[in-house]
Amino acid sequence: MSRTHDPAREHRILYEIIADCYDEVKEYMGWYYYMAENLVFPIDVTVRFRLRGGATEMKPARIMEIDPKSEQSRRSGWA
């Protein structure tokens, strides 16, 4: 997927989402709070699963909420 240069998007990321972030953990936190405050749940998505042998399969899913105490956040060290 190709993206064009979007100054407004870049400004939002730098000055609203990851402002004052001095490490990866703080960036995760910035993204979490931005999404928690700006997304409207539930969100219908399509997820690509990688199957054994290298094939992929697309399946619909519904995101009901985001959880700061998820497995990924525990591995990153900020929950």
Side-chain angles (χ1 to χ4, degrees):
M1 178 169 53
S2 173
R3 289 212 167 120
T4 59
H5 179 72
D6 183 348
R9 178 179 177 269
E10 291 178 17
H11 184 272
R12 186 172 60 251
I13 291 170
L14 290 174
Y15 293 98
E16 292 179 26
I17 301 171
I18 60 171
D20 301 325
C21 294
Y22 52 87
D23 63 19
E24 190 174 83
V25 172
K26 296 292 184 185
E27 285 187 25
Y28 286 134
M29 291 172 56
W31 280 106
Y32 168 78
Y33 287 111
Y34 178 80
M35 289 188 293
E37 293 170 3
N38 292 286
L39 296 178
V40 178
F41 295 97
I43 300 171
D44 292 322
V45 297
T46 302
V47 180
R48 180 182 311 184
F49 292 95
R50 188 176 310 261
L51 306 174
R52 291 182 188 160
T56 60
E57 181 179 356
M58 305 295 280
K59 291 197 172 197
R62 178 168 282 170
I63 300 172
M64 301 304 290
E65 64 183 348
I66 56 175
D67 181 5
K69 294 183 175 94
S70 71
E71 184 63 29
Q72 180 62 39
S73 62
R74 279 195 290 278
R75 277 186 268 152
S76 68
W78 66 273

